[in-house]
Amino acid sequence: MDIYSLMRQFADSWALLVLFTVFLGVILFVYRPGARAMQDDAARSIFRNESRPAPREIEKESR
C-alpha cells in the first residue's frame, strides 16, 4: 500500500468525520442561547458613530 492510498483512505473515513464534527460544533456555538448579545452587538457596530462621525482628515500632497 503506497502513501497516496493510505492518505486517501484516511481522508475518506476519519478526516470526513472530524470535519463534520467541527462543522456541527461551529453551528451549535453560533446558535447557543448566550450568543444573542454578541450577535446583536456585531450587527449594530456599524451604527456606533452615526450621531457624531469621525472628523475628516485632508491629506496634503507631499512634493
Side-chain angles (χ1 to χ4, degrees):
M1 187 176 245
D2 60 344
I3 189 72
Y4 175 77
S5 298
L6 184 65
M7 294 300 286
R8 173 82 190 252
Q9 254 184 340
F10 177 74
D12 284 344
S13 59
W14 292 106
L16 180 63
L17 181 65
V18 168
L19 289 175
F20 183 70
T21 305
V22 168
F23 174 76
L24 285 179
V26 168
I27 297 298
L28 291 174
F29 180 77
V30 169
Y31 287 108
R32 72 187 192 283
R36 180 172 287 280
M38 289 189 325
Q39 292 170 359
D40 288 341
D41 182 51
R44 292 189 184 112
S45 66
I46 61 171
F47 301 115
R48 282 195 185 126
N49 294 326
E50 191 171 304
S51 62
R52 192 181 78 188
R56 188 174 187 183
E57 294 182 16
I58 300 174
E59 295 182 17
K60 296 180 181 180
E61 292 182 22
S62 59
R63 293 184 183 188

